[in-house]
Structures are given as C-alpha cells and as structure tokens.
C-alpha cells in the first residue's frame, strides 16, 4: 500500500476525503492544528506550512502528496501570502528535495472567478482570479507547471468548485462536487500514469456547468453524483443574489466583492 501525505488534514474537505481514501492508502496526516479522530492506521504529524525544514520531515518517504492545506477563503494579503504562497512553495520544494514525485493540488474555481456565468470554458483559459485567494491558487497551479517542467514532478491541480453534501443555491448547481467524486479525482491524480502537469475542474456531473471538463474525462473521470438532483430545492432557496453585478453575474460569486470572509 502506498503512503500518502494529506496536508490540511484537520480541514473540512480532507475530513470528508479521509474515509474515502483510507481503503486504498496508508495516510500520513498533517496540519498546524490537531487532526480530529485519527484512526490507528493514520499517522499524524503536526507541521506549519511556513516551516520548510519541518515539511521536509513530513514528506520524507511518502509516495504522493495531497496538498489541501492553506487558507480557504478571502483574507488579507499577509494571511494568504503566508498560508498559500509560501505554504504551497514549501510543499513543492520539500517534495523536490525529498524525491516525492506526485502532488495533487487543491486549486479552486476562484482562479477563474471573474469569467461571466454565460461563458462555458475549457481549462486552458487565461486566469481571471476573483480574489487574493484565487490569485494564490493560480500561483499554486503555476508552481505545478514549473516543478513538472523543470524537476520532473507529476502534478494534478484540481480547480475545485464547492465540496458539500448537496448544492444549496444556483451557483453551486454549476460548480458543486460531492466528496466521493472529488476522492475519485484525487485517486486519478495519485495513480494515473500519464500525469505530468494537468489542470482539471473539480465538479460532479452538473447539467448547469460553466466548465468543459474534457481534461478530466480524458484521464478516466466518471462522476457519479449530479447537482441537478437537488435543483428544485436549490433554486427555491434563492440564496445567492447580492445585488452587486460583479458577484451576481460572474462565476466566483461573493468572492468577486469580498475583501475578507
Ligand atoms: N471547501 C471547498 O469546497 C473548496 C473549494 C475549492 C478549493 N478548496 C481548497 O481545498 C482545500 C481544503 O478546503 P477546506 O474547505 O477543507 O478548508 P479548511 O479551511 O477547512 O482546511 C484547511 C486546513 O489547512 C490548515 N492550514 C491553514 N494554514 C496552514 C498553515 N500555515 N500550516 C499548516 N496548516 C494550515 C488549516 O488548519 C485547516 O485545517 C483548501 O486548500 C481550499 O482552498 C476548497
């Protein structure tokens, strides 16, 4: 069984992913805070993403890294810089120095959040970040490109939509992904022999999608969950109108107007 490091292992998404990945991998879990309820098979190592020496010890000996640690909303520059810019750099650099080849990186739809909702987009578009947070995720994708081309790392960046038990508004009907569909994408990122530096969208089988996810389908992704099953409820909730056209007309929603969250 391969050993996989999950960063941000105390977070909401990784807490959903852990039971879905445990049958396939020995998990090493890392976060700056205590990881809730580790099983006897899970190895927990507390580490700060800003500390490269500590990260080198954390990544040493693993077969792959699922880098989900970092600041997951909009924030002031110092917060984003330390967690997502320096943090992501340190993870890629620690992997290079310790000879770990595979990284699955939690990118975000907010890399392209200022594209209008009327546009269906392939993955190869110029980034239009909607926030300092989205900008930091574009930096993470670019790190994947550099470390793949220059050092031979194999990197899958997933522009995750929104991971939730179910989509709760119109915007999420387009971008929602279930935990089990995301776990499938993470496993593709860890296992697929053709990964060099790929970027894909992280969404379920969503009828109202704004993204062309051909790159993911080419890698064998077969989403099993559909946002449309929740459409009536999500539309009735009508939760995602702010009155500001930047948020209401663009894909990133409230991230397009928020300064902190
Ligand atoms: N939640 C979503 O739907 C979604 C959508 C798109 C992208 N993402 C990305 O997926 C990842 C997980 O998202 P989440 O919602 O579970 O976030 P989360 O905030 O719940 O978890 C992030 C974890 O990273 C840890 N962390 C933050 N800064 C750190 C540091 N400096 N050193 C060590 N650990 C640090 C936190 O302690 C936390 O446990 C994030 O990278 C996020 O940007 C999430």
């Amino acid at each position: 069984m391969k050993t996989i490091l999950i960063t941000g292992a105390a977070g909401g998404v990784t807490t959903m992913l852990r039971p879905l990945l445990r049958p396939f991998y020995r998990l090493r879990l890392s976060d700056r805070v205590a990881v809730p309820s580790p099983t006897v098979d899970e190895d927990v190592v507390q580490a700060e993403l800003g500390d490269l020496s500590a990260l080198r010890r954390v990544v040493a000996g693993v077969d792959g890294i699922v880098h989900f640690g970092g600041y997951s909303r909009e924030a002031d520059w110092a917060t984003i810089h330390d967690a997502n810019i320096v943090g992501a750099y340190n993870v890629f650099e620690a992997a290079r120095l310790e000879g770990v080849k595979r990284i699955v990186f939690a990118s975000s739809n907010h890399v392209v959040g200022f594209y209008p909702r009327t546009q269906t987009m392939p993955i190869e578009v110029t980034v239009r970040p909607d926030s300092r947070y989205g900008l930091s995720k574009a930096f993470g994708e670019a790190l994947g490109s550099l470390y793949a081309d220059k050092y031979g790392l194999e990197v899958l960046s997933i522009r995750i939509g929104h991971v939730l038990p179910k989509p709760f508004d119109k915007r999420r009907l387009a971008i929602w992904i279930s935990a089990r569909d995301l776990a499938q994408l993470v496993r593709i990122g860890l296992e697929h022999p053709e990964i060099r530096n790929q970027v894909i969208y992280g969404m379920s089988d969503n009828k109202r999608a704004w993204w062309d996810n051909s790159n993911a389908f080419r890698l064998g992704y077969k989403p099993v969950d559909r946002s449309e099953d929740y459409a009536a409820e999500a539309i009735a909730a009508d939760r995602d109108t702010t009155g500001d056209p930047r948020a209401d007309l663009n894909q990133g929603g409230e991230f397009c107007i928020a300064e902190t969250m």
Side-chain angles (χ1 to χ4, degrees):
M1 227 185 202
K2 288 180 180 168
T3 300
I4 299 300
L5 167 67
I6 300 181
T7 67
V13 173
T14 51
T15 299
M16 291 187 255
L17 289 179
R18 278 167 52 204
L20 299 167
L21 297 176
R22 264 197 307 261
F24 307 103
Y25 307 105
R26 192 174 301 113
L27 296 183
R28 186 178 296 175
L29 307 176
S30 186
D31 204 295
R32 75 200 306 187
V33 300
V35 174
S37 318
T39 68
V40 286
D41 298 324
E42 290 173 325
D43 175 22
V44 182
V45 197
Q46 213 153 333
E48 167 59 51
L49 291 170
D51 183 344
L52 178 59
S53 314
L55 273 185
R56 283 189 70 170
R57 291 192 290 276
V58 172
V59 310
V62 301
D63 300 293
I65 299 171
V66 176
H67 177 43
F68 274 51
Y71 201 81
S72 58
R73 293 174 299 284
E74 180 59 321
D76 60 89
W77 176 240
T79 301
I80 295 292
H81 173 267
D82 293 354
N84 294 6
I85 303 283
V86 177
Y89 176 80
N90 284 345
V91 168
F92 278 80
E93 184 63 359
R96 178 181 79 84
L97 293 169
E98 297 300 328
V100 180
K101 283 199 83 140
R102 276 278 161 140
I103 300 184
V104 178
F105 171 60
S107 184
S108 167
N109 67 92
H110 296 291
V111 164
V112 291
F114 259 116
Y115 278 96
R117 297 183 186 194
T118 47
Q119 191 160 341
T120 302
M121 305 189 312
I123 202 84
E124 302 86 358
V125 288
T126 303
V127 296
R128 290 181 77 176
D130 57 25
S131 49
R132 289 176 284 273
Y133 166 76
L135 183 64
S136 73
K137 293 295 183 179
F139 174 79
E141 291 184 7
L143 271 177
S145 178
L146 173 66
Y147 275 72
D149 288 340
K150 194 161 184 174
Y151 303 116
L153 266 67
E154 298 162 349
V155 183
L156 181 71
S157 294
I158 308 173
R159 285 183 187 163
I160 301 169
H162 199 174
V163 194
L164 292 164
K166 57 182 184 174
F168 59 68
D169 61 20
K170 275 193 225 159
R171 178 170 167 264
R172 270 69 179 197
L173 289 175
I175 70 168
W176 176 69
I177 183 165
S178 67
R180 64 178 165 171
D181 283 343
L182 182 58
Q184 189 192 146
L185 288 176
V186 168
R187 290 201 62 212
I188 287 171
L190 291 170
E191 303 291 340
H192 201 289
E194 284 160 28
I195 301 282
R196 294 296 173 266
N197 173 48
Q198 263 90 351
V199 185
I200 58 173
Y201 290 111
M203 64 172 170
S204 284
D205 180 8
N206 298 343
K207 187 176 160 193
R208 297 164 197 251
W210 301 316
W211 309 322
D212 169 354
N213 215 7
S214 308
N215 277 12
F217 301 136
R218 266 195 292 278
L219 294 170
Y221 177 49
K222 291 190 177 62
V224 292
D225 291 306
R226 304 180 331 150
S227 66
E228 203 59 19
D229 295 344
Y230 306 96
E233 201 183 327
I235 289 165
D238 192 24
R239 286 176 50 158
D240 56 344
T241 307
T242 67
D244 186 320
R246 290 173 298 166
D248 296 347
L249 302 180
N250 292 313
Q251 298 186 5
E254 62 196 317
F255 277 67
C256 296
I257 53 173
E259 289 302 327
T260 55
M261 292 171 125

